[in-house]
Amino acid sequence: MPKVTFGSALQRHVQVPALAVNAKTVRAALEAVFRDHPLMRGYVLDDQSHLRKHMLVFVDGVAIKDRKMLAEPVTPHSDILVVQSLSGG
């Protein structure tokens, strides 16, 4: 099963352990986590259920491109990492 991990900046707000979930897409993986940890949803997704602008999701070390549908496929061995993006100068 794919494993979903949330970065330390998010963990400061809502502690969610790394979880193995039954999913075939990024969306399905996140929804599986949000069922048990609904507070994390608001930090990761906006009111249209799209990835928030300041969030990044990596699947096996590669940033996803589909920030609206989150339809990128995942395998049973995928590592999904959700982090806050950094900006500044």
Side-chain angles (χ1 to χ4, degrees):
M1 291 193 285
K3 182 174 77 171
V4 180
T5 304
F6 294 90
S8 60
L10 288 167
Q11 294 282 354
R12 283 185 288 162
H13 303 288
V14 181
Q15 291 190 359
V16 177
L19 296 170
V21 296
N22 187 12
K24 295 190 186 253
T25 66
V26 170
R27 166 85 56 198
L30 291 177
E31 292 297 342
V33 173
F34 297 154
R35 275 193 291 279
D36 292 331
H37 303 278
L39 291 177
M40 185 61 85
R41 173 189 278 292
Y43 286 98
V44 176
L45 303 179
D46 64 18
D47 60 346
Q48 296 177 341
S49 292
H50 300 160
L51 192 63
R52 289 189 178 278
K53 291 180 182 179
H54 63 279
M55 301 303 300
L56 293 172
V57 175
F58 295 89
V59 175
D60 299 325
V62 178
I64 67 167
K65 292 183 170 89
D66 178 7
R67 299 178 58 82
K68 291 185 179 184
M69 300 304 293
L70 304 171
E72 275 90 347
V74 295
T75 71
H77 305 289
S78 288
D79 285 315
I80 302 166
L81 175 62
V82 182
V83 296
Q84 286 182 299
S85 60
L86 298 176
S87 63

mmCIF file of all heavy atoms in Angstrom, residues 4 10 43 51 64:
data_model
loop_
_atom_site.group_PDB
_atom_site.id
_atom_site.type_symbol
_atom_site.label_atom_id
_atom_site.label_comp_id
_atom_site.label_asym_id
_atom_site.label_seq_id
_atom_site.Cartn_x
_atom_site.Cartn_y
_atom_site.Cartn_z
ATOM 1 N N VAL A 4 1.668 7.575 3.018
ATOM 2 C CA VAL A 4 1.497 9.035 3.010
ATOM 3 C C VAL A 4 2.178 9.598 4.248
ATOM 4 O O VAL A 4 1.903 9.167 5.369
ATOM 5 C CB VAL A 4 0.009 9.434 2.998
ATOM 6 C CG1 VAL A 4 -0.141 10.949 2.980
ATOM 7 C CG2 VAL A 4 -0.727 8.799 1.824
ATOM 8 N N LEU A 10 3.649 20.880 8.758
ATOM 9 C CA LEU A 10 2.238 20.521 8.916
ATOM 10 C C LEU A 10 1.999 19.792 10.228
ATOM 11 O O LEU A 10 0.955 19.968 10.869
ATOM 12 C CB LEU A 10 1.777 19.638 7.753
ATOM 13 C CG LEU A 10 1.619 20.346 6.425
ATOM 14 C CD1 LEU A 10 1.472 19.343 5.294
ATOM 15 C CD2 LEU A 10 0.426 21.266 6.469
ATOM 16 N N TYR A 43 -5.660 22.127 5.924
ATOM 17 C CA TYR A 43 -4.299 22.620 5.707
ATOM 18 C C TYR A 43 -3.789 22.276 4.313
ATOM 19 O O TYR A 43 -2.987 23.008 3.743
ATOM 20 C CB TYR A 43 -3.340 22.039 6.754
ATOM 21 C CG TYR A 43 -3.517 22.656 8.111
ATOM 22 C CD1 TYR A 43 -4.282 22.028 9.083
ATOM 23 C CD2 TYR A 43 -2.939 23.883 8.417
ATOM 24 C CE1 TYR A 43 -4.462 22.596 10.329
ATOM 25 C CE2 TYR A 43 -3.116 24.465 9.654
ATOM 26 C CZ TYR A 43 -3.878 23.815 10.608
ATOM 27 O OH TYR A 43 -4.059 24.385 11.839
ATOM 28 N N LEU A 51 -5.425 21.281 -4.303
ATOM 29 C CA LEU A 51 -4.244 21.459 -3.465
ATOM 30 C C LEU A 51 -3.999 22.949 -3.243
ATOM 31 O O LEU A 51 -4.025 23.741 -4.187
ATOM 32 C CB LEU A 51 -3.034 20.824 -4.160
ATOM 33 C CG LEU A 51 -1.772 20.648 -3.341
ATOM 34 C CD1 LEU A 51 -2.015 19.697 -2.169
ATOM 35 C CD2 LEU A 51 -0.658 20.115 -4.219
ATOM 36 N N ILE A 64 4.030 16.379 -8.022
ATOM 37 C CA ILE A 64 2.886 16.155 -8.901
ATOM 38 C C ILE A 64 2.590 17.423 -9.684
ATOM 39 O O ILE A 64 2.912 18.530 -9.244
ATOM 40 C CB ILE A 64 1.638 15.681 -8.127
ATOM 41 C CG1 ILE A 64 1.111 16.776 -7.197
ATOM 42 C CG2 ILE A 64 1.922 14.390 -7.371
ATOM 43 C CD1 ILE A 64 -0.266 16.500 -6.637
#
